[in-house]
Amino acid sequence: MPYASVNGINLYYEDHGPRTGPAIILTPGGRNDTNGLRPIAALLSGQHRVILHDRRNCGKSDVVIGGELSEQHHWAEEMAELLLQLDAAPAYVAGGSAGSRTSLTLAVRRPEVVKAVFVWEVSGGPNSAAETAPNYYGQFIDAARQGGMQAVADTEYFAQRIADNPSNRETLLSQDPAEFIAVMSRWREAYSVPNPVSEITEEQLSGISCPVVLFEGNTPDEVHHKSAAETAHRLIPNSELRPSAWTHEEWDIIGQHDHTFPGIAATNRYHMKATFYAAQLLEFIAKVEAMEPVKVG
């Protein structure tokens, strides 16, 4: 399996498609692995280089609960370094939900590696973090307090991280529970700031200069309330706002946009949306590339 060592962290990645032309890097929602984005990647990789990756603490990559930055900022910084290692920058940066936040954070923190941003189900606003912080951080803080690092390793989420990457077991069990709780608490605090898009301020959104496409979330879903995308669109100068690809009824059936879902009906709906997003992204790339000045000499 291909891994890149980024700031001492082993990040799992996959590199698909031709090496000519601009690259696309896809980021899933939540702390999900790359699997849910494979349908979109398959539709894109016939024409473009497509990079899938597992962020730290996700999928097959290393679990590292530490560092000076917030978790989301670590994700963005490590994505930037991965793109540079793979000679894939500047890239088209795309993703949904947490992938939208990470993609926009990358454009804020490391604009030199971003050619354009294409994000769906943008999440943020005053109620989004309140809905998701217990799942991202609270449950693991509680586990560490109640049973130490063994209890953390035994949670469904981290048990899967160990199954995906066995070295994560020793990493988790050797960490001091107090340190784990302190880092997770700090990450939860940073994540819970009621900015338009998670940890990204209005001023930072206004400073994004690359082309951006934003798909609304599906109100009344508080995690991906459409106001997050609307506010980002209002603030980002070179941005375009598009309606959610999902009806509210579809969203209720699917649950989340970038999982691999059981059931024929759910799976068919998901693949239809993958086809939709891939087509829209290809059109967006063609539009941005057409605006590029022709280099002479």
Side-chain angles (χ1 to χ4, degrees), residues 201-216:
T201 66
E202 291 194 4
E203 182 180 4
Q204 288 172 329
L205 287 170
S206 298
I208 296 175
S209 59
C210 67
V212 177
V213 165
L214 306 141
F215 284 88
E216 295 175 342

Side-chain angles (χ1 to χ4, degrees), residues 54-184:
D54 288 341
R55 296 154 288 166
R56 72 152 78 187
N57 308 326
C58 304
K60 299 181 181 69
S61 291
D62 284 353
V63 167
V64 180
I65 311 300
E68 296 301 317
L69 303 176
S70 70
E71 187 176 39
Q72 182 171 294
H73 286 182
H74 277 303
W75 285 343
E77 288 292 334
E78 288 154 11
M79 189 191 307
E81 294 305 316
L82 176 64
L83 286 170
L84 292 171
Q85 279 196 33
L86 299 179
D87 195 24
Y92 287 88
V93 183
S97 193
S100 73
R101 301 194 305 269
T102 307
S103 298
L104 289 167
T105 301
L106 183 65
V108 166
R109 294 184 64 91
R110 300 293 297 272
E112 73 277 10
V113 304
V114 177
K115 192 163 195 178
V117 175
F118 181 97
V119 289
W120 59 90
E121 300 298 335
V122 177
S123 57
N127 298 319
S128 181
E131 293 277 340
T132 53
N135 180 54
Y136 271 32
Y137 303 109
Q139 63 169 317
F140 306 122
I141 293 170
D142 291 344
R145 284 175 174 158
Q146 293 165 13
M149 295 311 296
Q150 184 63 61
V152 173
D154 289 342
T155 61
E156 180 180 3
Y157 181 79
F158 281 110
Q160 187 60 54
R161 300 292 69 76
I162 292 168
D164 290 341
N165 181 346
S167 68
N168 285 329
R169 178 177 179 80
E170 178 58 29
T171 299
L172 279 168
L173 294 181
S174 64
Q175 184 161 17
D176 176 48
E179 178 191 16
F180 177 89
I181 291 168
V183 174
M184 289 295 244

Side-chain angles (χ1 to χ4, degrees), residues 25 35-36 42 49 106 113 128 140-141 153 156 179 192 202 210 225 232 238 250 257 266 273 287 290:
I25 187 165
N35 287 325
R49 182 182 186 183
L106 183 65
V113 304
S128 181
F140 306 122
I141 293 170
E156 180 180 3
E179 178 191 16
S192 298
E202 291 194 4
C210 67
H225 197 281
N238 190 11
E250 286 175 327
H257 65 284
K273 301 309 178 186
K287 179 181 176 181

Side-chain angles (χ1 to χ4, degrees), residues 235-247:
L235 294 167
I236 299 172
N238 190 11
S239 66
E240 179 184 347
L241 182 66
R242 300 182 184 180
S244 175
W246 302 91
T247 66

Side-chain angles (χ1 to χ4, degrees), residues 266-288:
T267 301
N268 284 345
R269 281 187 177 89
Y270 176 67
H271 280 274
M272 286 173 61
K273 301 309 178 186
T275 301
F276 171 82
Y277 285 130
Q280 296 274 314
L281 178 51
L282 289 172
E283 287 183 10
F284 176 56
I285 292 172
K287 179 181 176 181
V288 174

Side-chain angles (χ1 to χ4, degrees), residues 227-269:
S227 61
E230 289 172 342
T231 302
H233 169 56
R234 175 175 58 82
L235 294 167
I236 299 172
N238 190 11
S239 66
E240 179 184 347
L241 182 66
R242 300 182 184 180
S244 175
W246 302 91
T247 66
H248 184 60
E249 291 73 21
E250 286 175 327
W251 189 259
D252 281 345
I253 292 170
I254 294 298
Q256 293 188 48
H257 65 284
D258 56 2
H259 287 177
T260 301
F261 303 101
I264 294 173
T267 301
N268 284 345
R269 281 187 177 89

